[in-house]
Amino acid sequence: MKELTHKSISSFCFILLFPLLLGCSTFGGSQVSDDPAIVTQQQEVDQLKKEVREAERLSEEARQREKAAKDRLNAAEHELKALEERAKRRSEY
């Protein structure tokens, strides 16, 4: 059996890595064109994406505040019932 040589190992690695290197260099740039209209539209899209993420974050915070308020309401109602029961028992004695 023929032993693998340094040259054959290098060739094998190059064959495996070449598509990766080519793909990274092809898709690495975020700007598709130098056309000002395209650049402007891309900036608008990026800004709108940021706005959507911010709106989603605010929406999630609002949901969490709503849940916390409902939890406090339930706890207050439970405490009210307990106090009413205690007052009812005191009046029975």
Side-chain angles (χ1 to χ4, degrees):
M1 186 163 115
K2 187 177 179 182
E3 291 184 16
L4 292 176
T5 63
H6 178 69
K7 184 178 179 181
S8 63
I9 291 174
S10 298
S11 299
F12 180 73
C13 290
F14 180 76
I15 290 170
L16 289 178
L17 294 177
F18 182 73
L20 178 65
L21 294 173
L22 183 63
C24 291
S25 65
T26 303
F27 300 113
S30 63
Q31 210 168 6
V32 177
S33 173
D34 292 333
D35 185 1
I38 293 175
V39 171
T40 302
Q41 188 65 26
Q42 182 63 45
Q43 290 171 347
E44 184 178 348
V45 167
D46 292 342
Q47 181 61 33
L48 291 172
K49 285 180 181 180
K50 287 178 187 177
E51 289 178 18
V52 167
R53 284 192 300 269
E54 179 68 12
E56 289 171 346
R57 184 186 65 80
L58 292 173
S59 177
E60 180 60 29
E61 287 177 2
R63 277 193 289 275
Q64 291 175 0
R65 284 193 304 272
E66 178 187 13
K67 184 180 181 299
K70 285 180 179 179
D71 290 344
R72 288 192 306 272
L73 175 61
N74 287 338
E77 288 174 341
H78 182 71
E79 186 176 349
L80 175 62
K81 287 180 184 179
L83 290 173
E84 288 172 344
E85 287 294 320
R86 190 180 305 154
K88 185 177 179 181
R89 280 191 224 132
R90 285 183 186 165
S91 66
E92 289 176 356
Y93 289 117

